[in-house]
């Protein structure tokens, strides 16, 4: 579906000589549709960046616990002691610093081509995470399968006359 949609956009851009997506929408659907599409793009991008901040806010603070003598205000309280967002200061600090020090300056660039290096770094980071998740999942599945097989064989040996049963279950850590 994405490939067909991109093909339609390219064909429409070539036939209308539009220099941007906004110009293509204005040419094909009129100025009102151009404004609606602009608002929808802002809402979509706001939702995407909010999702990214939530993921980063959940992933980075546990790394603070690995730092020796890390200030206590950077560490989140255990889940059972959390009653509000204020109980997660590490997450709030990470999201605030990230948005102020990294995202805001990137929003001020005059040309989008200046984002080519950070986009390349993001692709490398995503590829790294995909590889790590796959390796961790396969390793965990093998470990779980071995543990289940060992337990099944041990209990089968205790039962005379019954063959050993091996159960393999995918790990929830996938």
């Amino acid at each position: 579906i994405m490939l067909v949609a991109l093909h339609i956009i390219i064909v429409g851009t070539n036939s209308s000589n539009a220099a941007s997506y906004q110009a293509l929408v204005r040419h094909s659907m009129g100025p009102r549709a151009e404004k609606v599409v602009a608002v929808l793009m802002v809402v979509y991008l706001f939702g995407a960046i909010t999702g990214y901040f939530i993921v980063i806010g959940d992933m980075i603070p546990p790394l603070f616990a690995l730092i020796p003598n890390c200030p206590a205000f950077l560490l989140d309280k255990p889940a059972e002691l959390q009653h509000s967002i204020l109980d997660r200061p590490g997450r709030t600090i990470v999201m605030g610093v990230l948005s102020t020090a990294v995202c805001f300056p990137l929003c001020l660039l005059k040309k989008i081509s200046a984002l080519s290096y950070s986009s390349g770094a993001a692709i490398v980071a995503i590829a790294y995470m995909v590889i790590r998740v796959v390796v961790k999942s396969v390793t965990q599945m093998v470990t779980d399968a071995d543990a289940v097989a060992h337990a099944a064989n041990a209990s089968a040996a205790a039962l005379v006359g019954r063959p050993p049963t091996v159960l393999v279950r995918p790990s929830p850590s996938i």
Side-chain angles (χ1 to χ4, degrees):
I1 293 173
M2 181 71 102
L3 184 63
V4 171
L6 290 173
H7 179 72
I8 291 169
I9 291 171
I10 291 169
V11 169
T13 302
N14 288 339
S15 66
S16 67
N17 292 325
S20 67
Y21 185 68
Q22 297 295 116
L24 175 63
V25 171
R26 185 179 339 106
H27 175 78
S28 59
M29 293 187 273
R32 282 188 184 164
E34 178 186 18
K35 291 175 184 169
V36 169
V37 168
V39 169
L40 290 175
M41 287 176 70
V42 168
V43 169
Y44 170 75
L45 293 173
F46 180 78
I49 196 71
T50 301
Y52 291 137
F53 279 136
I54 289 170
V55 169
I56 289 170
D58 287 343
M59 293 178 70
I60 300 296
L63 296 177
F64 291 146
L66 301 175
I67 301 171
N69 301 322
C70 181
F73 69 89
L74 289 177
L75 303 174
D76 290 338
K77 291 181 181 178
E80 60 273 3
L81 299 177
Q82 293 177 10
H83 301 292
S84 72
I85 191 69
L86 299 176
D87 291 331
R88 299 192 65 190
R91 181 176 198 253
T92 306
I93 290 169
V94 165
M95 291 169 58
V97 168
L98 183 70
S99 62
T100 304
V102 178
C103 294
F104 182 67
L106 291 175
C107 292
L108 300 176
L109 297 173
K110 291 185 180 183
K111 293 187 177 185
I112 198 163
S113 62
L115 293 174
S116 62
Y117 297 112
S118 60
S119 296
I123 290 171
V124 169
I126 290 169
Y128 172 76
M129 287 303 298
V130 167
I131 291 168
R132 290 281 300 171
V133 166
V134 169
V135 168
K136 175 74 174 168
S137 299
V138 170
T139 304
Q140 188 67 40
M141 284 174 52
V142 169
T143 303
D144 288 351
D146 289 345
V148 168
H150 180 68
N153 288 336
S155 62
L159 299 172
V160 179
R162 292 184 126 181
T165 303
V166 178
L167 301 174
V168 179
R169 295 183 201 136
S171 168
S173 68
I174 291 176

